[in-house]
Amino acid sequence: MRALTLKLGDKTYSTVKITAFLSKEALKIQKESLEIAKIGKEIQNDLENLDTIEELLDKMAELNDRKAALICEVYGNQFTIDELQKNLSDEEINIEINKIILAVSGVIQKN
């Protein structure tokens, strides 16, 4: 696997190893993201279903925390979840998750 890098503020972090445990978590996060998107699309026109919307928002918040935790673990906990979330937008965190998913799925091959 080619090294992954992440820039937070003035520092750049890198990793060359994603364990099987972290790979499994990355794939679970990807699957749950797709499930949330599907539910969101289904209820898009049914804004009166507040319980479902509230549940969906809770799932999204939990998933965002898991994404941040996964990124921290992949980079060997060299920074905290708070540092990550203060420096990156949700979109940037999703990009990092996608990089991890691509590395896990073998799209990024060894040098």
Side-chain angles (χ1 to χ4, degrees):
M1 181 184 102
R2 194 174 76 180
L4 296 177
T5 59
L6 173 65
K7 185 170 173 91
L8 292 180
D10 297 341
K11 295 183 180 179
T12 300
Y13 301 93
S14 64
T15 186
V16 292
K17 180 179 180 182
I18 300 175
T19 65
F21 175 81
L22 295 176
S23 297
K24 186 176 175 181
E25 178 65 7
L27 294 173
K28 281 182 185 179
I29 286 172
Q30 184 74 355
K31 181 181 177 186
E32 290 175 29
S33 294
L34 293 172
E35 290 171 358
I36 287 173
K38 183 179 176 182
I39 293 168
K41 188 171 182 167
E42 289 172 0
I43 66 168
Q44 187 173 5
N45 296 322
D46 185 17
L47 299 179
E48 293 180 17
N49 193 344
L50 296 179
D51 289 338
T52 303
I53 293 170
E54 181 180 11
E55 182 180 318
L56 186 62
L57 291 173
D58 288 342
K59 285 182 181 182
M60 289 172 62
E62 179 205 336
L63 192 59
N64 285 341
D65 288 343
R66 285 179 49 213
K67 288 177 184 179
L70 175 64
I71 293 169
C72 290
E73 284 190 63
V74 165
Y75 285 92
N77 294 308
Q78 299 178 70
F79 47 86
T80 66
I81 292 172
D82 287 340
E83 289 172 314
L84 180 74
Q85 291 176 331
K86 286 179 183 177
N87 283 282
L88 298 182
S89 67
D90 284 340
E91 182 179 344
E92 291 168 319
I93 288 174
N94 285 331
I95 289 169
E96 291 304 316
I97 290 295
N98 287 336
K99 286 172 34 180
I100 293 167
I101 296 290
L102 292 175
V104 166
S105 64
V107 174
I108 300 175
Q109 299 295 325
K110 291 184 178 184
N111 292 339

